[in-house]
């Protein structure tokens, strides 16, 4: 895997705009290359502004009817729960786009977790095809970084970090809501591109550990992200990058 591309923007607003711009660019490239853009969304709060910009300022920059939306993880709550990653993306972006229902591939957080994980794996298989043992290749997976160094819902010490067969697993994490669904490393690491969006001084130590600390994915789960034939882009604001020795 090539070294990650690190892009440092002045402040969070610049970061959100640049992330939206880069996503629109990747969408255009993907649609030109293979007729669709498979976008895997991150949860949490950081991407909300970028999602809103994609649906407003960059609305005309993307051929939305060719975009397929997926999630990297989901909390085991109903889709209208304020904690739901789907709810956040729907409020900020999806509800503002004239999408067909079959463009939105929601993880069903309201269902029994193990069953929901299996169902999502079948949804991925149905869309991406591939033989047994093959993993979906997303055009872009957006990820965040927790201050405990987690990404998606891959948390420190979790056995999901070492999953090699399943595409989606149900986990119990040390954060509320505890029960979650998450893509596994083999899926994330089969992506064409992964884009981390990280903002704020509160993430600086986590960014430093993940990018410049000793390699220890059990301690720093975001280090597990290393696409074997893909690019990793770290989009940071100055505050989140402030402890890095090289930028
Ligand atoms: C989730 C996310 C998670 C998130 C980080 C950062 O479901 O919470 O997928 O991995 O990206 O926890 O969250 P913030 O953007 O809210 O800091």
């Amino acid at each position: 895997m090539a070294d990650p591309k690190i892009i440092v923007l002045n402040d969070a607003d610049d970061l959100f705009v640049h992330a939206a711009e880069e996503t629109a660019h990747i969408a255009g490239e993907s649609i030109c290359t293979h007729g669709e853009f498979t976008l895997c969304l991150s949860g949490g709060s950081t991407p909300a502004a970028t999602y809103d910009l994609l649906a407003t300022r960059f609305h005309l920059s993307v051929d939305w009817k060719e975009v397929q939306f997926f999630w990297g993880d989901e909390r085991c709550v109903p889709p209208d729960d304020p904690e739901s990653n789907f709810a956040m993306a729907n409020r900020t972006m999806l509800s503002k786009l004239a999408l067909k229902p079959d463009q939105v591939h929601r993880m069903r957080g309201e269902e029994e977790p193990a069953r929901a994980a299996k169902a999502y794996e079948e949804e991925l298989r149905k869309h991406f095809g591939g033989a047994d043992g093959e993993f979906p290749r997303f055009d872009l997976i957006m990820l965040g970084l927790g201050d405990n160094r987690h990404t998606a819902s891959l948390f420190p010490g979790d056995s999901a970090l070492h999953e090699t067969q399943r595409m989606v697993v149900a986990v119990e994490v040390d954060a509320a809501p505890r029960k979650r669904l998450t893509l596994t490393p083999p899926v994330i690491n089969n992506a064409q591109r992964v884009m981390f969006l990280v903002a704020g001084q509160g993430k600086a130590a986590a960014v430093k550990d993940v990018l410049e600390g000793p390699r220890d994915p059990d301690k720093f789960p975001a280090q597990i992200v290393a696409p074997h034939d893909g690019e990793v882009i770290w989009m940071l604001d100055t505050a989140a990058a402030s402890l890095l020795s090289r930028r």
Side-chain angles (χ1 to χ4, degrees):
M1 178 199 125
D3 286 341
K5 196 161 121 186
I6 299 173
I7 301 172
V8 181
L9 289 307
N10 282 337
D11 56 34
D13 287 342
D14 282 354
L15 166 64
F16 300 145
V17 171
H18 196 83
E21 205 167 27
E22 181 67 14
T23 302
H25 170 74
I26 297 167
E29 204 180 77
S30 305
I31 293 167
C32 271
T33 311
H34 63 95
E36 69 173 7
F37 176 44
T38 53
L39 173 56
C40 184
L41 297 174
S42 172
S45 55
T46 304
T50 292
Y51 295 169
D52 180 72
L53 284 164
L54 279 167
T56 53
R57 183 163 156 187
F58 293 90
H59 191 119
L60 297 179
S61 307
V62 179
D63 185 359
W64 293 106
K65 69 182 184 315
E66 304 304 346
V67 181
Q68 296 289 328
F69 293 91
F70 298 83
W71 275 261
D73 70 326
E74 184 54 281
R75 291 81 179 278
C76 294
V77 296
D80 57 355
D81 186 297
E83 289 289 345
S84 159
N85 289 337
F86 165 79
M88 184 273 277
N90 193 41
R91 173 171 49 76
T92 55
M93 176 170 59
L94 305 180
S95 58
K96 300 167 187 172
L97 304 170
L99 301 173
K100 291 196 188 107
D102 64 2
Q103 288 182 257
V104 180
H105 308 269
R106 181 173 70 81
M107 288 182 168
R108 306 183 73 78
E110 69 276 23
E111 290 179 3
E112 190 278 323
R115 189 166 352 109
K118 192 85 195 96
Y120 206 67
E121 184 153 327
E122 283 155 21
E123 175 102 9
L124 291 174
R125 181 81 65 208
K126 187 169 151 229
H127 186 81
F128 287 92
D132 279 354
E134 271 188 71
F135 294 99
R137 183 169 174 76
F138 282 100
D139 292 311
L140 177 61
I141 297 181
M142 298 176 92
L143 291 174
L145 179 68
D147 53 15
N148 68 349
R149 290 72 174 155
H150 84 263
T151 193
S153 280
L154 298 168
F155 276 61
D158 198 302
S159 60
L161 283 162
H162 304 284
E163 177 61 44
T164 58
Q165 308 301 317
R166 291 175 292 172
M167 299 182 190
V168 189
V169 292
V171 293
E172 287 218 29
V173 301
D174 184 18
R178 286 180 51 79
K179 291 189 176 184
R180 301 189 181 198
L181 304 170
T182 187
L183 293 186
T184 58
V187 177
I188 295 170
N189 286 332
N190 199 39
Q192 175 83 31
R193 276 188 189 84
V194 176
M195 183 196 293
F196 281 93
L197 262 59
V198 191
Q201 195 63 40
K203 299 287 178 73
V207 168
K208 171 85 174 170
D209 279 343
V210 171
L211 288 176
E212 297 182 350
R215 180 152 178 75
D216 186 353
D218 276 304
K219 208 167 148 196
F220 309 142
Q223 288 182 342
I224 205 79
V225 176
H228 49 80
D229 179 18
E231 178 186 35
V232 179
I233 306 165
W234 282 81
M235 287 224 188
L236 308 169
D237 66 357
T238 306
S242 59
L243 297 179
L244 290 179
S245 53
R246 57 185 186 279
R247 296 188 211 171

